[in-house]
Amino acid sequence: MKQYFFILIGIVFTSVGAYSQDTLMVSKKEIQEKAAAGNLQLKLAEKDYLSAKADYQQSNALFLPNLTASHTALSTTNPLMAFGSKLNQEILTASDFNPALLNDPKKTQNFATVISVQQPLLNADGLYERKAAYAKMGAYELQSERTKEYIQLETNKAYMQLQLAYQAVTVLKKAETTAMANLKVITNYFNQGLVQKTDVLNVQIRVNDVSNQLHYAQSNVQNASDYLGFLLNEDLKNKVYKPAEPIENTITPIAVTAQVSENRKDIQAMKQTETAYQKMYVSSKMNFLPRLNAFGSYELYDQSLFGTKAKGYTVGAQLSWNVFDGSKSIGKMAKAKADYQKATLETEQYKKKSQLELNQTHRQLGDAENKVSLAQLAFEQAQEAYRIRQNRFAQGLEKTTDLLQSETQMVQKELEHLQAVFEYNFTKQYLQFLTN
């Protein structure tokens, strides 16, 4: 009886300790909204897209002018600089052509304000680099959308795991009640001299086993809740989630195509990445062509700071051609070609691997459906077997060990049935994710 008392006290304290936290009720719709707003992986994917978008925005320089302004102050006795400064300031006189002054000028001050404009006109390599940046931005955008679909799947899975964990606690609490009732009955029989001491000890062992399983089940509730909180990016200190919807204990078979869609976001992203490498390869070829750029400047010169007495402008255009750069451009083109070919192979490999995964998951769904049917049948049979043994035990026709074995099997089969339903429902969702 002392052992029975301490077992009961231990179970009570375990239950109180596990559920002393604040319980937050959450629905599937609510967690989906929270995950979409706060999940860190989604935020990282969004930053990757914004980074690629910024790279594309930089390519606007291919069409827009580059405008700079500067103000330079200098003091010089250099003959050439001194003469040129006076010439820019438009203050040269006949006396300045004195050879003595030309060769040994006095200190001359010059303040120059220059506004310069550079306008790209024809840069074929830059045009294809811009196209590559656009394709890269599109790839990250598609990958971000695919990440949203994955987080939705993972959040659903975490919610289902939380439902399963709570249901396991419910089943084990029911098993605990049954085990405690059996212990009470066996203890009364022992006091009446109808059973042996070993029968009481066997039932006490069963109570201990159920208590231990219940403890682990309650820990699994916290683990599932913590993972869901991680996906939602919420702090769960001294808190635990509880699903608002009950767990599904039945399945609804569906017919799903076993072919990977070319429109799947991640496959489209791979194709966009391939396009980006192809554009970079073309850009490396265009690097051998000449570039045409226009330029112009407006200049203000004076002997005083920010003065504007003398003015002038310069306009022009430049056609430049990098004829040979030590094979740098040749090597760059070879690398771009290899990267493009690699991207093509990676896309093909990814599609085949995705199809392989889809085929395996499709078979797993069939196996999971069969497992649910067998698990449900086994649970129903275990229930009936326990009912029969319990009635026969009350009539003194069954051994205690047989009753305990039957009760243990019933609980085990109920948990296996719940696990099988969970596996089927998640496999179904994952298969839809692979074909979406």
Side-chain angles (χ1 to χ4, degrees):
M1 289 301 294
K2 286 185 177 180
Q3 291 178 342
Y4 171 71
F5 174 76
F6 284 120
I7 290 170
L8 180 60
I9 294 298
I11 293 173
V12 170
F13 276 104
T14 299
S15 301
V16 172
Y19 290 96
S20 60
Q21 306 139 307
D22 293 335
T23 301
L24 305 177
M25 298 292 293
V26 289
S27 65
K28 183 177 291 188
K29 180 180 179 181
E30 182 182 358
I31 64 170
Q32 289 292 350
E33 292 174 351
K34 288 185 176 181
N39 182 264
L40 293 178
Q41 190 171 347
L42 284 180
K43 291 183 178 180
L44 289 173
E46 182 182 0
K47 297 305 177 185
D48 286 336
Y49 165 69
L50 292 177
S51 176
K53 184 178 180 180
D55 287 338
Y56 176 66
Q57 289 175 337
Q58 292 181 47
S59 67
N60 289 336
L62 186 67
F63 307 107
L64 301 177
N66 181 26
L67 180 65
T68 60
S70 65
H71 185 77
T72 305
L74 64 86
S75 178
T76 181
T77 57
N78 179 278
L80 182 61
M81 294 293 293
F83 184 83
S85 296
K86 287 186 176 183
L87 184 62
N88 283 332
Q89 295 171 14
E90 301 176 2
I91 58 174
L92 279 177
T93 61
S95 62
D96 290 315
F97 288 91
N98 185 341
L101 293 178
L102 286 174
N103 292 325
D104 188 18
K106 297 180 180 179
K107 181 178 69 173
T108 302
Q109 290 184 331
N110 184 47
F111 297 91
T113 300
V114 180
I115 301 174
S116 301
V117 179
Q118 293 180 330
Q119 175 63 55
L121 297 178
L122 180 60
N123 294 277
D125 58 334
L127 181 63
Y128 279 92
E129 285 183 6
R130 175 179 170 83
K131 292 181 178 180
Y134 182 77
K136 178 184 175 183
M137 181 182 70
Y140 275 109
E141 183 178 16
L142 289 167
Q143 195 59 49
S144 178
E145 293 176 2
R146 185 60 174 174
T147 302
K148 290 180 182 178
E149 295 175 353
Y150 170 74
I151 293 301
Q152 182 180 13
L153 172 71
E154 193 67 16
T155 304
N156 283 338
K157 178 183 177 182
Y159 190 77
M160 292 164 58
Q161 287 174 330
L162 186 63
Q163 289 176 315
L164 181 63
Y166 270 100
Q167 189 62 30
V169 170
T170 301
V171 171
L172 290 171
K173 280 187 174 181
K174 183 174 64 176
E176 176 188 71
T177 301
T178 301
M180 296 293 289
N182 288 337
L183 178 59
K184 184 177 180 180
V185 171
I186 295 297
T187 302
N188 290 334
Y189 285 173
F190 174 71
N191 292 334
Q192 297 172 21
L194 299 177
V195 296
Q196 301 295 321
K197 179 66 175 178
T198 54
D199 294 319
V200 178
L201 293 175
N202 285 333
V203 179
Q204 288 176 340
I205 291 173
R206 174 57 183 164
V207 173
N208 286 336
D209 288 342
V210 174
S211 175
N212 188 47
Q213 292 176 26
L214 180 58
H215 177 77
Y216 277 106
Q218 290 168 339
S219 294
N220 286 335
V221 167
Q222 186 66 63
N223 292 337
S225 180
D226 288 346
Y227 182 59
L228 185 57
F230 166 75
L231 291 176
L232 305 185
N233 193 26
E234 291 189 349
D235 184 12
L236 286 185
K237 186 177 181 180
N238 297 324
K239 298 176 183 177
V240 64
Y241 286 128
K242 186 174 183 179
E245 296 95 346
I247 188 173
E248 297 181 17
N249 57 6
T250 58
I251 63 172
T252 305
I254 59 170
V256 182
T257 178
Q259 187 66 37
V260 172
S261 172
E262 291 287 333
N263 295 325
R264 213 172 75 178
K265 296 294 191 303
D266 54 340
I267 293 179
Q268 287 184 325
M270 292 290 292
K271 290 181 178 179
Q272 285 284 64
T273 301
E274 181 183 343
T275 300
Y277 279 109
Q278 188 264 340
K279 298 301 181 184
M280 288 301 298
Y281 174 46
V282 176
S283 173
S284 66
K285 290 182 178 180
M286 297 298 174
N287 193 44
F288 293 97
L289 298 178
R291 298 180 181 89
L292 178 63
N293 299 289
F295 60 89
S297 65
Y298 185 69
E299 302 146 7
L300 304 169
Y301 298 96
D302 206 306
Q303 289 179 305
S304 58
L305 186 66
F306 297 115
T308 60
K309 289 182 178 179
K311 303 176 181 64
Y313 69 87
T314 303
V315 294
Q318 181 185 46
L319 181 67
S320 60
W321 195 348
N322 192 354
V323 180
F324 183 71
D325 57 2
S327 297
K328 181 179 178 181
S329 295
I330 296 176
K332 183 179 179 181
M333 184 180 66
K335 181 179 183 301
K337 181 180 180 180
D339 289 341
Y340 169 49
Q341 293 173 339
K342 178 183 176 183
T344 302
L345 293 173
E346 286 177 341
T347 301
E348 186 66 23
Q349 182 190 43
Y350 188 80
K351 289 167 62 178
K352 291 183 177 179
K353 186 177 180 181
S354 298
Q355 184 62 53
L356 175 64
E357 184 180 16
L358 178 59
N359 293 339
Q360 292 175 342
T361 306
H362 192 269
R363 287 189 290 269
Q364 287 174 0
L365 185 65
D367 295 339
E369 182 178 354
N370 183 61
K371 184 178 180 180
V372 169
S373 300
L374 294 176
Q376 183 176 2
L377 179 61
F379 174 49
E380 292 172 354
Q381 292 171 340
Q383 279 183 310
E384 181 63 16
Y386 177 69
R387 186 189 65 80
I388 294 173
R389 287 189 184 277
Q390 192 176 36
N391 291 336
R392 288 173 59 82
F393 178 78
Q395 299 171 11
L397 301 177
E398 289 285 349
K399 296 179 182 179
T400 306
T401 53
D402 293 335
L403 178 67
L404 292 177
Q405 182 180 2
S406 182
E407 187 268 337
T408 301
Q409 186 181 48
M410 180 182 66
V411 174
Q412 179 183 351
K413 294 306 177 183
E414 184 173 4
L415 293 175
E416 288 178 358
H417 175 248
L418 291 172
Q419 179 67 29
V421 172
F422 164 80
E423 290 176 3
Y424 176 85
N425 287 332
F426 173 70
T427 304
K428 181 172 68 173
Q429 290 186 14
Y430 187 57
L431 189 61
Q432 292 171 334
F433 170 74
L434 293 177
T435 56
N436 185 14

